[in-house]
Amino acid sequence: STPRGAASFDVHATPAVTVHVIHSPATKPMVDSRWPLDPDIEVVVTIDVTSRTVDDNQVKISFYNREGNELAVAWLYLTCVDVSLDVDLSRSGRVKSKGKDKAKWTWGPDGQGAVLLVNCDRDSPGAGGTDSGQADVRTLADLQDMSVMLLRTQGPSAIFAEYPVVLHVPETDADKVRVFHAIRDDSHPRYKPVLGPDKLSYVLDRAGHGDSTFYVEGLAFPDRGFSGLVSFSASLLEVPHKDAPGTPIFTDTVVFRVAPWIMTPNTQQPLEVFVCSIKHGLDSNEAFMEGLRALLRKANCKLTVCSEQDSRSDRWIQDELEFGYVEAPHKSFPVVFDSPRNRGLKDFAFKKILGPDFGYVTREPPGKSVTSLDSFGNLDVSPPVTVRGKEYPLGRILIGSPLPWASGRRMSKAVRDFLYAQQVQAPLEVYSEWLSVGHVDEFLTFVPAFDRKGFRLLLASPNACYQLFREKQREGHGEATQFIGMKGTESKSIDEILADESLRSDNRHVQ
């Protein structure tokens, strides 16, 4: 548009437009604010006020010859639209607009990026499984488990009629999330599923009218092959003709991280104790139940008893399930992790614990090949701890395993992969497979303490046991017999145990 013979120019714009003339220090404006036509000069115009009508902002460029006479005028017509996709970037519990680096997610108290919960509780009455298994919103309580995402589109509606706004999710993330659009019909909001496992994109049909509210739910926990990060984008498309797919001329992207499942240490204050009642036969635990009830009255703690009918006479509830929780800035709830052990208590967690604001997750190994090490007596977690300067504010998970170079029973890969993928409790595998049952809880536990780190790790010690037996032998109790009344176990005296060199060698190894 520069006419022949032009030597200088000037730029004027309507008030909403800011004009920046970028030049080298050697280049100076001429008289009357005119600039020399120099390849070194760049003119940048910006606008940050949304247009009310199409082309309501203009930039006028006038060209002059060497004598200062105007040769020609070029006009630039501008329409400013606002398209912004926003989430709770600062983790304050509220969605704020105009965030920076929205496609970046960082850990820690000073980190940024939105958090998404797996909607794994059951708020909807009559629903068969978890809420994430339902492709609709059935209760307002269900919405509270979801994260809010706002899509702002402002500007003349004629622009958005020509340039559609599309909300979209990458195919690799689509099966991990579901998005609902809050639509007001006759003052009653309805929640339309718009993105998810079978929907990769959604065209906004009333773009230009301010904020559209979306609710996002997680469908999958971090796991092998899924880091937990999911992204969403809003694109303004240029569509050459009706059946064309369109070309993005602007895209805004946000990232969520699916909140990990976090295990709770038993040093925390108990809220509820679950126990199996066995009333019949020689294995009755009525005396144990009586003692437990008395203790829980003192602790002011709720007791939930699983009947013999519900447990199908399987008393080992510690082996069947593990408690943890999920947390986002706007919501937190407990989640029970159901072991693939699947004995008499197989259905207890799903049928009796899953409910409103109490989630459920499980992992099943392919082929159902489980060992004793898949029981959750073989799963523990430390209290918060600092190790050699590295902080573990949520503690570290402990899993019982064979020695790394040895074959033997292992916790199934499906469960271990899940635990490692949560990232926040850095699992540690300890040698437990020397035991017959093989669970870490058979030789270690954590108890609260009021000094040092705030807890103690109690370890079973073969050396301490030998020391005790030697004391009793010296006191004249060498004939005292162990294991009386235990089925399938040979009764032995203290003298016989201390004389067994092979047993002593095994215990030295274990110590």
Side-chain angles (χ1 to χ4, degrees):
S1 62
T2 309
R4 189 184 296 276
S8 63
F9 71 96
D10 64 16
V11 183
H12 297 280
T14 46
V17 180
T18 306
V19 177
H20 307 267
V21 179
I22 301 167
H23 58 94
S24 70
T27 310
K28 291 190 172 69
M30 300 158 65
V31 290
D32 301 327
S33 303
R34 293 177 192 167
W35 292 87
L37 270 175
D38 190 304
D40 167 54
I41 292 177
E42 188 177 346
V43 178
V44 176
V45 293
T46 60
I47 178 169
D48 55 10
V49 178
T50 308
S51 293
R52 293 187 177 182
T53 58
V54 175
D55 295 345
D56 63 352
N57 290 284
Q58 295 99 39
V59 179
K60 177 188 175 187
I61 302 112
S62 301
F63 296 97
Y64 304 89
N65 62 16
R66 293 191 187 282
E67 289 74 40
N69 300 317
E70 187 177 86
L71 296 178
V73 172
W75 290 90
L76 175 65
Y77 293 92
L78 297 172
T79 308
C80 181
V81 298
D82 183 6
V83 177
S84 177
L85 192 60
D86 293 300
V87 291
D88 180 11
L89 195 69
S90 62
R91 303 176 196 152
S92 64
R94 293 189 310 280
V95 177
K96 294 175 187 167
S97 62
K98 310 296 182 196
K100 289 183 180 173
D101 298 326
K102 289 189 270 188
K104 190 172 113 186
W105 203 100
T106 49
W107 290 101
D110 300 320
Q112 75 160 36
V115 180
L116 194 60
L117 296 177
V118 177
N119 197 4
C120 61
D121 66 341
R122 184 163 59 201
D123 291 313
S124 310
T130 61
D131 290 337
S132 60
Q134 313 299 321
D136 56 356
V137 176
R138 300 189 178 183
T139 65
L140 289 176
D142 196 14
L143 278 184
Q144 289 163 11
D145 299 336
M146 302 183 196
S147 295
V148 174
M149 180 165 68
L150 296 181
L151 176 53
R152 174 175 292 103
T153 58
Q154 288 179 312
S157 53
I159 289 286
F160 292 109
E162 192 178 341
Y163 297 87
V165 176
V166 178
L167 187 66
H168 50 106
V169 61
E171 187 183 9
T172 49
D173 297 351
D175 60 338
K176 314 293 193 301
V177 287
R178 192 177 285 116
V179 178
F180 298 93
H181 185 191
I183 299 169
R184 291 204 165 271
D185 284 344
D186 303 325
S187 80
H188 290 294
R190 63 184 178 92
Y191 302 95
K192 177 183 175 185
V194 293
L195 294 179
D198 53 352
K199 296 185 179 84
L200 300 184
S201 64
Y202 173 62
V203 179
L204 209 63
D205 57 359
R206 280 180 54 78
H209 294 274
D211 291 355
S212 295
T213 302
F214 296 87
Y215 290 89
V216 189
E217 67 175 346
L219 305 182
F221 279 98
D223 211 330
R224 185 176 180 84
F226 174 44
S227 69
L229 291 174
V230 290
S231 66
F232 296 96
S233 299
S235 294
L236 188 67
L237 300 184
E238 184 171 36
V239 183
H241 57 84
K242 190 177 161 220
D243 300 320
T247 307
I249 52 177
F250 171 77
T251 297
D252 205 16
T253 299
V254 296
V255 171
F256 285 93
R257 182 177 286 281
V258 176
W261 178 78
I262 301 169
M263 215 174 136
T264 41
N266 62 274
T267 49
Q268 286 188 238
Q269 188 70 24
L271 301 175
E272 186 172 2
V273 171
F274 292 78
V275 66
C276 293
S277 168
I278 308 291
K279 290 190 172 176
H280 306 293
L282 294 171
D283 288 338
S284 165
N285 67 353
E286 280 296 281
F288 166 71
M289 293 287 291
E290 199 178 310
L292 184 63
R293 282 191 182 93
L295 179 67
L296 295 186
R297 278 194 295 273
K298 281 186 183 176
N300 194 25
C301 183
K302 182 182 175 185
L303 177 66
T304 296
V305 177
C306 174
S307 71
E308 206 158 352
Q309 183 181 351
D310 285 334
S311 72
R312 292 181 286 177
S313 300
D314 175 9
R315 73 181 64 208
W316 305 111
I317 195 163
Q318 165 71 30
D319 284 335
E320 184 59 40
L321 50 93
E322 189 64 62
F323 289 111
Y325 66 98
V326 291
E327 184 173 19
H330 65 283
K331 184 74 187 275
S332 175
F333 57 81
V335 176
V336 60
F337 187 12
D338 193 1
S339 156
R341 162 186 181 267
N342 293 348
R343 279 162 56 181
L345 284 158
K346 176 176 186 280
D347 301 321
F348 177 73
F350 188 81
K351 287 184 174 175
K352 302 290 183 179
I353 300 179
L354 168 64
D357 284 346
F358 212 125
Y360 173 90
V361 64
T362 189
R363 284 294 178 272
E364 298 279 341
K368 309 286 183 191
S369 53
V370 295
T371 71
S372 173
L373 270 65
D374 284 306
S375 296
F376 283 170
N378 194 36
L379 181 60
D380 212 325
V381 67
S382 80
V385 67
T386 300
V387 184
R388 290 193 281 277
K390 182 166 175 59
E391 287 184 32
Y392 298 93
L394 298 167
R396 293 193 72 176
I397 283 174
L398 300 170
I399 301 166
S401 292
L403 291 167
W405 55 85
S407 60
R409 300 168 298 171
R410 270 188 164 78
M411 181 178 278
S412 63
K413 194 168 180 302
V415 175
R416 281 186 296 134
D417 284 348
F418 173 84
L419 294 170
Y420 277 96
Q422 306 314 304
Q423 295 194 57
V424 291
Q425 293 181 299
L428 187 67
E429 298 193 33
V430 295
Y431 179 37
S432 72
E433 214 249 342
W434 53 273
L435 284 158
S436 169
V437 173
H439 296 176
V440 289
D441 75 349
E442 294 178 278
F443 64 89
L444 66 79
T445 192
F446 297 92
V447 294
F450 295 105
D451 61 343
R452 290 167 29 194
K453 291 183 176 180
F455 68 89
R456 294 285 188 280
L457 166 60
L458 300 189
L459 284 169
S461 166
N463 282 0
C465 187
Y466 272 101
Q467 189 180 337
L468 177 67
F469 280 168
R470 281 193 294 271
E471 276 176 29
K472 293 302 152 195
Q473 191 181 47
R474 284 195 297 272
E475 290 168 11
H477 301 298
E479 295 298 315
T481 305
Q482 313 304 301
F483 314 125
I484 292 172
M486 282 187 71
K487 291 180 214 162
T489 305
E490 186 188 348
S491 298
K492 280 191 171 187
S493 69
I494 288 176
D495 288 339
E496 288 174 309
I497 288 169
L498 290 176
D500 187 334
E501 267 307 315
S502 172
L503 181 67
R504 186 185 290 271
S505 170
D506 283 346
N507 277 282
R508 269 197 297 269
H509 163 67
V510 166
Q511 180 75 40

